[in-house]
Amino acid sequence: MNKIALRLFLLVFFLPLAFAANAQGQLPEWALGPFVRPESVNPIISPNAESLFFDPMSKQKIAWEASDVFNPAAVVSKNKIYVLYRSEDRSGVGIGKRTSRIGLAESNDGIKMKRNPEPVLYPDEDNQKAYEWPGGCEDPRIAVTEEGLYVMLYTQWNRNIFRLAVSTSKDLKHWTKHGAAFSKAYNGKFQDLKCKSGSIVTKIENGKQVIAKINGRYMMYWGERFMNIATSADLINWEPALNANGDLDLIIKPRKRYFDSDLTECGPPAIVTDKGILVLYNGKNRGDAERDTNYVANTYSAGQVLFDLRNPSKVIARLDEPFFVPTAPFEKSGQYPSGTVFIEGLVYFKKKWFLYYGCADSRVAVAIYDPAAKK
């Protein structure tokens, strides 16, 4: 290899690592991290063609997680971490062309996973059939109440309109679907709104991460292209916040020439801290001249934004650089080769933070932040 070729090799493979180290090494006090990938363990969940399941749509057994597994949620229960992840079968070719179902895995250490042989949430012969056939159930986020009710926000996809939906469970395996989160708000005004990605606000109480109330109501940040707020009295029926004109109140927007220049999509459950409400989100870089040239075009990286606890739509601070970027080969190859670390699961477990993320829409991985190591 000549000198020019060697320099190009080093630039392509090690420049992203330099940016990641720089971004993580300069996190402000209000931000969470740095998150470190454990050595030689990722990806922790990969496709499995041997997992079979009787599919209510096709009326036959299928390999429900044979193609890709990605975009995981996570929650702690009985001193274990449970990961709920999106899986795709081989029923089609291309992003959004297959059927998605949600699988379940459990772990004693947050790394080694034991998977449930069948999905726990999927398009079924039920009252949500019109909204989930044939695309399925996608991209879960999950949180739990103090009483032990698990609340999952996920995307219903009928290949016409994608909708943010709600499902609840007491055991993580048997789920009750409640339909679209915004279906009853404002007399059905947003029933057919294309929406996804709900991040319920949580807090750490007695060492456990549980759903919190803000100003007397449950609250979530939600949205894919922009970030919005919604509130609820029962965790099932949600009302999006509106501006003075009666339109959705867009509180976070993409920024030209930043890593989140194309979209700002909500990630895992938000967290109440002593500084405010912290939201970790997925930022997509544009593919044109208005992108951040420090990162590959169309890359998904992760950012953080801090909101005022008393006025949850008021931004106190926002990272200008991502705290987490694609670096590993499996994060830059697969369904989304531009590079993707798509964060959806965040849990506080044994005094550490475990961040679960999708890798290029094809694998599941974990990164860990140890607050004790930062001191």
Side-chain angles (χ1 to χ4, degrees), residues 294-329:
N294 291 318
Y295 306 97
V296 175
N298 301 309
T299 294
Y300 277 87
S301 301
Q304 299 187 38
V305 58
L306 185 70
F307 293 94
D308 190 298
L309 184 59
R310 295 181 180 178
N311 181 7
S313 64
K314 179 183 177 181
V315 176
I316 298 176
R318 183 177 177 182
L319 294 182
D320 288 337
E321 293 183 6
F323 74 97
F324 203 62
V325 301
T327 57

Side-chain angles (χ1 to χ4, degrees), residues 13-28 33-37 294-295 321-327:
F13 285 93
F14 289 101
L15 184 59
L17 287 171
F19 277 116
N22 180 58
Q24 290 195 9
Q26 297 180 2
L27 286 176
F35 284 89
V36 178
R37 297 164 175 84
N294 291 318
Y295 306 97
E321 293 183 6
F323 74 97
F324 203 62
V325 301
T327 57

Side-chain angles (χ1 to χ4, degrees), residues 262 284-288 291 296-300 336 338-340:
D262 194 29
K284 183 182 179 183
N285 202 13
R286 291 175 65 105
D288 57 20
R291 70 181 178 92
V296 175
N298 301 309
T299 294
Y300 277 87
Y336 204 86
S338 296
T340 299

Side-chain angles (χ1 to χ4, degrees), residues 98-111:
R98 296 184 284 267
T99 300
S100 291
R101 299 169 182 85
I102 295 175
L104 176 68
E106 64 181 83
S107 175
N108 291 316
D109 62 3
I111 296 174

Side-chain angles (χ1 to χ4, degrees), residues 171-241:
D171 63 4
L172 295 171
K173 291 185 177 181
H174 303 91
W175 292 86
T176 300
K177 296 178 183 178
H178 300 282
F182 304 144
S183 62
K184 296 181 181 179
Y186 307 106
N187 298 315
K189 178 179 180 178
F190 297 109
Q191 167 63 33
D192 293 328
L193 176 71
K194 293 181 178 180
C195 55
K196 57 171 62 178
S197 308
S199 171
I200 293 179
V201 177
T202 63
K203 62 182 178 180
I204 302 298
E205 191 169 86
N206 299 322
K208 296 182 179 180
Q209 185 180 2
V210 295
I211 295 174
K213 283 188 176 181
I214 305 297
N215 299 327
R217 289 176 65 85
Y218 299 113
M219 198 182 86
M220 70 170 163
Y221 294 88
W222 66 276
E224 178 192 27
R225 181 70 56 182
F226 308 100
M227 198 178 295
N228 308 59
I229 282 178
T231 59
S232 173
D234 59 8
L235 292 169
I236 294 171
N237 300 290
W238 294 83
E239 285 192 357

Side-chain angles (χ1 to χ4, degrees), residues 44-360:
I44 58 171
I45 302 177
S46 296
N48 182 4
E50 296 181 0
S51 298
L52 300 179
F53 155 77
F54 183 82
D55 173 37
M57 292 193 299
S58 63
K59 304 295 189 293
Q60 62 183 357
K61 281 192 173 183
I62 62 166
W64 60 278
E65 56 179 354
S67 182
D68 296 279
V69 293
F70 54 111
N71 294 4
V75 70
V76 174
S77 177
K78 298 178 181 178
N79 208 34
K80 291 183 179 181
I81 291 180
Y82 288 81
V83 173
L84 293 103
Y85 59 94
R86 175 179 172 182
S87 65
E88 288 187 340
D89 58 26
R90 290 175 173 166
S91 59
V93 178
I95 294 176
K97 302 300 183 181
R98 296 184 284 267
T99 300
S100 291
R101 299 169 182 85
I102 295 175
L104 176 68
E106 64 181 83
S107 175
N108 291 316
D109 62 3
I111 296 174
K112 295 178 181 178
M113 294 287 160
K114 178 183 177 183
R115 289 151 77 165
N116 203 62
E118 296 188 348
V120 295
L121 194 75
Y122 49 87
D124 202 352
E125 289 281 4
D126 55 28
N127 61 6
Q128 296 304 306
K129 177 177 177 178
Y131 309 111
E132 297 178 357
W133 287 39
C137 307
E138 303 178 349
D139 298 355
R141 277 87 164 163
I142 187 170
V144 62
T145 66
E146 295 179 46
E147 295 76 25
L149 179 68
Y150 300 99
V151 182
M152 182 196 300
L153 300 173
Y154 69 102
T155 304
Q156 297 179 315
W157 175 228
N158 60 7
R159 297 195 186 145
N160 179 31
I161 297 175
F162 50 86
R163 292 177 173 87
L164 180 63
V166 183
S167 190
T168 56
S169 173
K170 294 291 289 186
D171 63 4
L172 295 171
K173 291 185 177 181
H174 303 91
W175 292 86
T176 300
K177 296 178 183 178
H178 300 282
F182 304 144
S183 62
K184 296 181 181 179
Y186 307 106
N187 298 315
K189 178 179 180 178
F190 297 109
Q191 167 63 33
D192 293 328
L193 176 71
K194 293 181 178 180
C195 55
K196 57 171 62 178
S197 308
S199 171
I200 293 179
V201 177
T202 63
K203 62 182 178 180
I204 302 298
E205 191 169 86
N206 299 322
K208 296 182 179 180
Q209 185 180 2
V210 295
I211 295 174
K213 283 188 176 181
I214 305 297
N215 299 327
R217 289 176 65 85
Y218 299 113
M219 198 182 86
M220 70 170 163
Y221 294 88
W222 66 276
E224 178 192 27
R225 181 70 56 182
F226 308 100
M227 198 178 295
N228 308 59
I229 282 178
T231 59
S232 173
D234 59 8
L235 292 169
I236 294 171
N237 300 290
W238 294 83
E239 285 192 357
L242 306 181
N243 60 24
N245 296 323
D247 300 319
L248 293 174
D249 191 17
L250 310 181
I251 58 174
I252 289 290
K253 301 177 182 180
R255 300 173 291 182
K256 293 180 181 179
R257 297 179 179 83
Y258 284 83
F259 73 95
D260 53 9
S261 52
D262 194 29
L263 58 79
T264 54
E265 185 168 353
C266 292
I271 310 160
V272 174
T273 74
D274 58 354
K275 303 292 191 302
I277 303 174
L278 183 63
V279 178
L280 280 64
Y281 69 94
N282 299 287
K284 183 182 179 183
N285 202 13
R286 291 175 65 105
D288 57 20
E290 293 182 343
R291 70 181 178 92
D292 186 335
T293 56
N294 291 318
Y295 306 97
V296 175
N298 301 309
T299 294
Y300 277 87
S301 301
Q304 299 187 38
V305 58
L306 185 70
F307 293 94
D308 190 298
L309 184 59
R310 295 181 180 178
N311 181 7
S313 64
K314 179 183 177 181
V315 176
I316 298 176
R318 183 177 177 182
L319 294 182
D320 288 337
E321 293 183 6
F323 74 97
F324 203 62
V325 301
T327 57
F330 54 83
E331 296 168 356
K332 298 184 288 184
S333 63
Q335 286 198 84
Y336 204 86
S338 296
T340 299
V341 287
F342 198 86
I343 59 173
E344 288 191 20
L346 179 68
V347 293
Y348 187 66
F349 182 67
K350 297 182 179 179
K351 299 182 179 180
K352 297 179 182 179
W353 289 97
F354 287 69
L355 180 66
Y356 294 90
Y357 62 98
C359 310

